[in-house]
Amino acid sequence: VRHFDGRHTLNDIQDQVLRDQGRAMPAAELERLVAELDRAMVLDGPTFASFQDDYRRNGVRPAAFAGSSYRGTAAGLRAELERCFRHAKAVGSAEPTRGEAGHGRLRGVLSPHIDFERGGPVYTWAYQALAERSDADTFVILGVAHQPCRRRFALTRKDFSTPLGVAMTDRDYVERIAALAGDEFFDDELAHRSEHSVEFQVVFLQYLLGSRRPFTIVPILVGSFHDLLRRGADPIDAPDVRKFVEALRAAEAASGKKVAYIGGIDLCHVGPEFGDREPVDGPTLERVRAFDTAMLGRATALDAKGWFETAGRVDDRWRVCGLSATYTMLHALGPSTGAVLQYDQAVNPERTCCVTFASVAFESSATAEVSPRA
């Protein structure tokens, strides 16, 4: 199978098997294997191509996690989110507390993308800030691509469906980014199909803003920058990263829209479930908290290079899930002031897994008035 690389014919592979194993592989046996792998969509073949074409023709991305990661009905999901806001670690209310919502110049937020059961209360801080201090009508959502991608960024034109309705994607905005950055950033559009980091943000947007005002989204997945981290490079010096960041800025400037950014990111991933030898103990949690504090300090200072270098200095020892997406957002925001609104660590009872996450708000420096609450 390692020779199924698009460069070898079936005859080539038969010859290779004969050389490697000293036996002839019948053509019928090899053809059956190819057909089985094609049906399973393991190969980049006719079946996968047809599936991908069908996916691209559908203008709506169906909810991938309704009924599994969160409630699958509108009533059940609203009740679940209401409980998130009532939790002891939550902001306390889904209603704005500063009078009429939508004023101020909230430039963007970082929000978790962990499941709502563990992280829901921390989401509430970011999204109440959006409801209170943002008048945006377009939300550029930078999510984490949890699967390998060919490109560093993945665009999609699709609207996003959830039990709360359909969030419309601003296709003109997406096309403007693609025109400036390149159509190759649609190459990994299929990664959106099973990715939760954008979907979970859409759910909270619909819950908080759906009944208050219309809005559109610009969903973007950000892939790995780890090759740059290993080289000690600043990602903005990579041509594809710079091109995409510049396209984000230019697309916003040309849109005529009121735009806010959302980073759907988690922070550290620690414990045996992620490859560590030892269970998650108290001292480890304190070290992770100190590391997260340093990382978030770079983020709130809008120091994208420092954010990336802080992880690089420990060779991303704690596996920061939102490393690339946050870096991209910090470059796209422009002059802003940030503050951590809430932070938490989710540790399972067996202490084999710890995931950390935070809500962070950024306001344009001209009108910055962020009130941090720990």
Side-chain angles (χ1 to χ4, degrees), residues 90 141 230 275 277 372:
I141 305 175
R230 287 190 294 271
R277 294 182 179 180

Side-chain angles (χ1 to χ4, degrees), residues 294-311:
M295 287 288 287
L296 291 170
R298 295 298 89 215
T300 55
L302 229 72
D303 179 4
K305 183 179 181 181
W307 159 270
F308 200 73
E309 286 180 344
T310 301

